[in-house]
Amino acid sequence: MARGKLRIYLGAAPGVGKTYAMLSEAHRRIERGTDCVVAFVEHHDRPRTEVMLHGLEEVPRKELEYRGSVFTEMDVDGVLARHPAVAIVDELPHTNIPGSRNAKRWQDVEELLAAGIDVVSTVNIQHLESLGDVVESITGVRQKETVPDEVVRRADQIELVDMSPQALRRRMAHGNIYKPDKVDAALSNYFRPGNLTALRELALLWVADRVDEYLNEYRSQHRVSKIWGSRERIVVGLTGGPEGRTLIRRAVRLAEKGAGGEVLAVYISRSDGLTSASPKELAVQRTLVEDLGGTFHQVVGDDIPVALLDFARGVNATQIVLGVSRRKSWQYVFGPGVGATVARDSGPDLDVHLITHDEAGKGRGLPVARGARLGRSRVLWGWLTGIGGPALLTLLLTHVDADLGLTNDMLLFLTLTVAAALLGGLFPALASAAVGTMLLNWYFTPPVHRITIADPKNILALVIFVGVAVSVASVVDLAARRTHQAARLRAESEILSFLAGNVLRGETGLEELLERVRETFIMESAALLERTSDVEPWTCAARVGPGQPVERPEDADVDMPVGDHMSLALSGRVLPAEDRRVLAAFAAQAAVVLDRQRLQSEADQAKELAEGNRIRTALLAAVSHDLRTPLAGIKASVTSLRSDDVEWSEEDQAELLAAIEEGADRLDHLVGNLLDMSRLQTGTVEPLIREVDLDEVVPLALVGIPDPESAVALDIPETLPMVAVDKGLLERSVANVVENAVKYSPDGEPVVVSASALADRVEVRVVDRGPGVPDEAKDRIFAPFQRYGDAPRGNGVGLGLAVARGFAEAMGGTLTAEDTPGGGLTMVLTLPVAPSHAPTPTDVPATALS
């Protein structure tokens, strides 16, 4: 069965019209004859949205009871049984009521898609998991209900429902979004123009990135190499020189002129010019470009203009920013330079900017290393010097009336041979030596204009000339090749050193490492394949890059084995043999990263198992003593009452029954804490957040305290704002904290429970005058099965404070310990103020979270 398709209407804030647009799409599909039903839609009492439900078939909702209230959720089984072609499901990030089929609604949608049902849903930008911190910094509210970005990114269609902040505020003022009693609070808090503008920008940028992914995927599938300037991408070519900072800042200014511009700084490691690159300066420039919102890339390429243009076209860049060459004027005889070459070969789809700077024309400062690939111009100049030079020199010497002698003539020809070796390498130098020997023999060795040589000394001189010329040419060429090898090895060592440092420090994940491989060798995709044995099929451990995935190493353009059952596969082009050494190091590091990730996962599992074993051991110890103590008391009292040998008076019977009741209460309390701790350990605590008054909850938490009127002093003002908490969890948390304080408080010193408001939080302080706790033990007392000091056995299993803190954090609060002035311990329970009672305009109305 084919998987269903997911369509998502994305909005920047509640009320922009996502649900309305979704229902309009449902009506359009029904008009086209599509079997479409409403699985779940929440109209929030908005009249126009409610009208759109008319004429649509709705699957009855499932009713669930939770904490004495009845809630309705989407009936997944009912939708699967109905099996429509299209299901309308509102509010994709919604958290289901405990007891539902899945914890999140997007998990329900995944089941519908797996069953072949198309789904149309809605999401607000603030509910994307990766944007939680950004949204909190803008609005001051941390979203509780989120959906993983990957779920939304996998959608087949994403449609942005956009509305300007001014229009949205007008809709709010007209009562089209919230009820009239909530409009003023919403407009002055969450729906402020600044908040809405920032959220709208987030939504637009997120959708733009998604469109960009679609575009790159399309270009890769259709092998489109021509640049499409859909958005400004500016590539900055860095040399490692001091002018790089100027180029980066200029590129950022260019990017800011257009919406959504990107800056990509690239440094090309190669033999030519490597010695002029300062690693320290490159690190500074990398930090600068990342601070300004760009990205830094490093690739390997012997031909800098070609590598730079390949990189720019590979990232679909629209502009290239380069600095004016630092070479001196006389150095241009060796070629036009990188800037002019890139500008000439860029074509009409790439704009090239040459930026002036203070270092222009001052020279590189260090000698330029020569590479094996000298380029066409260098080789051409070498051949011209080696062949044309001796001819011009002969013409000059034969027309100048000066007899320099054969020795000086040979030295002049030897100079041209050395120059040919310096420019073009060995072969132009050998050609120069051969041509020079023939010209010396014909024009300057008696008898002239004849091949024969009369004087044997001249024969020896010519032989020596040929030997010296060939030797000098060989030495010069060998030195150039050794310099090239040293420069290349240095480039490789820089890359490997950076790679190994990041891998050893654990800063690089497997996908990031593969992306680095793809960028370094300018490949389309990179994948790490593995299998368990020689007969098993290959599986992909990780993959980056567009294009069709490689299923076998032999299908890739480059295959680098790592051991017997692992291989690094690259697609895009065939690498030269000299690059495979660096690729082998990358492959080995990729295997190390994969092993480290798996070992880390196993270590985390082992840590969880060890923690579970520790808790089980402590639980057994608690069961063996703390739980047996009240059971022993109950058993003794019941045995005494059932005994026929003793006549118990009414007072004795009442005392024995009171002991049974006390033991049962203690046992119930211990078992309750154990169950609560188990829920916290397994992550199954699902708080039901409601607006609650503290003066209603705190007194209920004192019911189990012996003689609460004399043991506890309450100071809970009625003017406190309401808090957004789970009433049951708050009651248990306060009860455990107060019970612990009463246990350690001396006789005659009541525990003080007070509360006060502070900005958008409410603090509940439980103050005792007991022995207190040292600073180093203040965090340890909240660990499970911990007792402090000489607490007697049988008074608990050390879970009260651990459960209290766990419940507090589950509700979005905190529980900390601090010293009481004058001696003792103060527990500070901090709780969030309900959004509708927040004193500052930073919280979102409760309905905006639905």
Side-chain angles (χ1 to χ4, degrees):
M1 179 181 296
R3 179 180 173 86
K5 295 183 178 180
L6 175 61
R7 178 170 183 169
I8 291 179
Y9 287 91
L10 180 70
V16 297
K18 302 181 302 300
T19 305
Y20 190 93
M22 178 180 65
L23 295 176
S24 298
E25 175 66 18
H27 281 285
R28 285 193 294 270
R29 298 200 181 198
I30 290 177
E31 290 173 359
R32 295 196 298 264
T34 305
D35 183 16
C36 180
V37 302
V38 174
F40 189 96
V41 168
E42 187 63 63
H43 54 74
H44 299 296
D45 295 328
R46 298 169 186 169
R48 297 188 179 184
T49 304
E50 188 175 2
V51 168
M52 293 297 295
L53 286 170
H54 296 168
L56 298 178
E57 177 186 351
E58 295 189 54
V59 176
R61 301 185 184 184
K62 185 177 182 179
E63 294 186 351
L64 296 171
E65 184 176 351
Y66 182 69
R67 295 187 179 273
S69 300
V70 177
F71 302 89
T72 60
E73 294 286 1
M74 181 175 68
D75 187 358
V76 180
D77 293 325
V79 178
L80 292 174
R82 172 64 175 78
H83 204 280
V86 180
I88 306 299
V89 182
D90 203 6
E91 299 177 356
L92 189 64
H94 172 74
T95 300
N96 294 329
I97 294 296
S100 301
R101 183 189 188 96
N102 296 301
K104 293 285 189 176
R105 183 166 294 163
W106 64 264
Q107 295 172 326
D108 297 336
V109 169
E110 286 293 324
E111 289 195 33
L112 300 182
L113 295 173
I117 302 174
D118 293 347
V119 175
V120 183
S121 189
T122 61
V123 176
N124 274 334
I125 191 67
Q126 65 264 30
H127 294 295
L128 292 179
E129 199 168 79
S130 65
L131 299 179
D133 295 336
V134 179
V135 173
E136 183 179 13
S137 65
I138 295 172
T139 65
V141 176
R142 184 70 181 190
Q143 298 295 331
K144 301 295 184 182
E145 294 185 332
T146 60
V147 58
D149 289 44
E150 186 60 27
V151 174
V152 182
R153 288 184 180 275
R154 286 201 307 265
D156 299 275
Q157 296 182 56
I158 299 177
E159 182 172 335
L160 179 66
V161 182
D162 188 32
M163 180 176 289
S164 68
Q166 294 77 12
L168 183 57
R169 285 172 59 85
R170 283 196 300 269
R171 287 196 65 195
M172 174 71 69
H174 294 160
N176 294 330
I177 301 177
Y178 295 150
K179 294 181 178 179
D181 60 336
K182 296 183 179 294
V183 169
D184 291 338
L187 290 175
S188 60
N189 292 323
Y190 190 81
F191 286 84
R192 290 177 295 170
N195 287 359
L196 297 178
T197 302
L199 292 174
R200 187 189 189 197
E201 182 181 21
L202 279 180
L204 292 171
L205 291 177
W206 196 92
V207 173
D209 288 339
R210 180 58 176 158
V211 173
D212 197 44
E213 291 177 9
Y214 280 131
L215 178 62
N216 290 335
E217 183 178 350
Y218 178 86
R219 284 168 51 85
S220 175
Q221 292 176 352
H222 293 77
R223 299 188 178 277
V224 178
S225 58
K226 185 179 179 181
I227 292 176
W228 290 356
S230 55
R231 63 187 299 185
E232 291 296 334
R233 282 193 180 87
I234 302 176
V235 171
V236 185
L238 301 179
T239 64
E243 76 280 0
R245 305 183 199 181
T246 301
L247 302 183
I248 292 171
R249 294 189 180 96
R250 182 62 180 273
V252 171
R253 290 200 297 271
L254 288 173
E256 290 175 348
K257 292 180 180 180
E262 288 184 67
V263 174
L264 300 89
V266 58
Y267 171 69
I268 301 175
S269 299
R270 56 155 247 166
S271 54
D272 192 3
L274 177 65
T275 53
S276 64
S278 169
K280 181 178 180 180
E281 181 64 26
L282 277 177
V284 172
Q285 293 174 14
R286 180 185 189 123
T287 303
L288 175 62
V289 70
E290 290 176 351
D291 289 344
L292 294 176
T295 56
F296 182 89
H297 307 266
Q298 185 170 345
V299 300
V300 174
D302 285 325
D303 194 329
I304 290 181
V306 172
L308 184 60
L309 289 172
D310 286 345
F311 177 83
R313 292 190 174 100
V315 299
N316 200 31
T318 57
Q319 302 181 53
I320 297 178
V321 173
L322 298 173
V324 174
S325 177
R326 287 183 286 140
R327 293 189 298 175
K328 294 183 180 297
S329 301
W330 62 268
Q331 292 177 309
Y332 282 96
V333 299
F334 300 110
V338 173
T341 304
V342 171
R344 182 191 63 202
D345 299 338
S346 61
D349 51 0
L350 261 176
D351 296 334
V352 179
H353 302 266
L354 292 179
I355 308 300
T356 58
H357 50 85
D358 295 336
E359 303 297 324
K362 293 184 179 180
R364 293 185 175 273
L366 292 174
V368 177
R370 289 167 174 76
R373 295 177 60 183
L374 299 174
R376 296 179 181 177
S377 61
R378 289 286 300 276
V379 174
L380 178 62
W381 277 104
W383 283 103
L384 289 176
T385 303
I387 296 178
L392 292 176
L393 180 60
T394 300
L395 182 64
L396 177 64
L397 292 177
T398 54
H399 287 77
V400 174
D401 188 14
D403 187 10
L404 300 179
L406 183 60
T407 302
N408 291 328
D409 293 338
M410 288 184 177
L411 290 176
L412 291 175
F413 278 93
L414 182 62
T415 302
L416 291 176
T417 301
V418 173
L422 292 173
L423 290 175
L426 178 61
F427 293 105
L430 294 178
S432 177
V435 172
T437 301
M438 296 177 61
L439 293 176
L440 283 170
N441 183 18
W442 184 266
Y443 288 101
F444 303 104
T445 305
V448 295
H449 304 302
R450 295 179 61 183
I451 298 299
T452 59
I453 301 175
D455 190 349
K457 294 181 180 180
N458 292 337
I459 297 176
L460 179 62
L462 287 176
V463 171
I464 293 175
F465 167 77
V466 173
V468 171
V470 172
S471 300
V472 170
S474 300
V475 170
V476 171
D477 182 72
L478 179 63
R481 285 189 286 112
R482 290 290 184 265
T483 303
H484 163 72
Q485 292 173 0
R488 182 174 180 84
L489 290 175
R490 177 176 174 180
E492 293 177 0
S493 65
E494 287 183 355
I495 294 175
L496 296 178
S497 175
F498 175 81
L499 170 67
N502 282 359
V503 171
L504 291 176
R505 290 192 298 269
E507 298 175 356
T508 303
L510 184 56
E511 287 77 11
E512 295 174 352
L513 179 62
L514 293 179
E515 183 64 28
R516 182 68 185 274
V517 173
R518 192 177 71 87
E519 287 184 353
T520 299
F521 297 101
I522 317 178
M523 306 298 284
E524 290 183 1
S525 64
L528 186 63
L529 307 177
E530 63 175 347
R531 60 181 178 180
T532 56
S533 65
D534 294 336
V535 297
E536 294 293 328
W538 291 92
T539 59
C540 182
R543 179 184 179 276
V544 296
Q548 295 296 326
V550 177
E551 298 181 355
R552 300 181 304 169
E554 49 266 29
D555 296 336
D557 294 320
V558 180
D559 168 26
M560 178 56 64
V562 188
D564 296 331
H565 302 125
M566 188 175 293
S567 179
L568 179 61
L570 305 180
S571 299
R573 64 187 180 95
V574 178
L575 287 181
E578 58 187 1
D579 288 339
R580 293 183 67 86
R581 180 172 60 252
V582 179
L583 183 61
F586 271 107
Q589 293 287 16
V592 170
V593 172
L594 179 61
D595 290 341
R596 189 187 68 233
Q597 289 181 351
R598 290 175 175 173
L599 289 174
Q600 182 63 44
S601 177
E602 293 176 0
D604 293 340
Q605 293 177 3
K607 185 177 180 180
E608 293 178 0
L609 292 175
E611 179 65 16
N613 288 332
R614 188 187 70 81
I615 292 178
R616 279 191 291 271
T617 302
L619 178 60
L620 290 174
V623 171
S624 65
H625 190 283
D626 296 285
L627 296 181
R628 290 178 61 186
T629 300
L631 283 174
I634 295 172
K635 176 66 176 176
S637 298
V638 171
T639 302
S640 299
L641 288 173
R642 289 173 56 87
S643 175
D644 298 331
D645 300 335
V646 180
E647 288 290 338
W648 302 101
S649 63
E650 291 184 0
E651 292 80 4
D652 293 335
Q653 291 180 6
E655 185 176 349
L656 289 173
L657 290 174
I660 293 174
E661 184 178 11
E662 181 183 357
D665 290 340
R666 288 176 55 190
L667 189 60
D668 178 70
H669 182 71
L670 292 173
V671 172
N673 276 339
L674 288 172
L675 293 177
D676 290 338
M677 197 65 224
S678 175
R679 292 169 60 204
L680 289 171
Q681 291 288 338
T682 56
T684 57
V685 175
E686 291 287 348
L688 184 61
I689 304 300
R690 292 289 185 268
E691 295 185 359
V692 176
D693 279 321
L694 276 179
D695 55 357
E696 296 179 0
V697 179
V698 175
L700 296 177
L702 307 181
V703 172
I705 305 297
D707 194 11
E709 295 183 358
S710 60
V712 181
L714 285 179
D715 182 15
I716 309 295
E718 295 181 356
T719 58
L720 284 176
M722 301 180 74
V723 292
V725 296
D726 184 302
K727 183 176 180 181
L729 297 184
L730 176 60
E731 181 181 333
R732 292 294 303 276
S733 183
V734 173
N736 284 355
V737 173
V738 174
E739 180 185 346
N740 184 78
V742 171
K743 182 191 305 181
Y744 288 97
S745 187
D747 295 337
E749 291 286 349
V751 173
V752 178
V753 180
S754 62
S756 60
L758 180 63
D760 60 344
R761 316 290 284 180
V762 170
E763 287 187 352
V764 179
R765 308 178 74 87
V766 180
V767 183
D768 68 61
R769 294 294 179 178
V773 176
D775 292 338
E776 62 272 11
K778 282 187 171 62
D779 284 334
R780 196 165 62 247
I781 61 177
F782 293 102
F785 302 105
Q786 294 292 321
R787 300 168 182 268
Y788 179 72
D790 55 353
R793 299 289 295 183
N795 285 352
V797 293
L799 288 177
L801 294 182
V803 171
R805 171 175 275 192
F807 284 171
E809 293 176 348
M811 296 183 294
T814 60
L815 178 62
T816 57
E818 59 184 43
D819 293 328
T820 301
L825 187 69
T826 298
M827 292 290 181
V828 182
L829 176 61
T830 305
L831 303 169
V833 172
S836 59
H837 292 74
T840 57
T842 57
D843 287 342
V844 60
T847 52
L849 297 177
S850 60

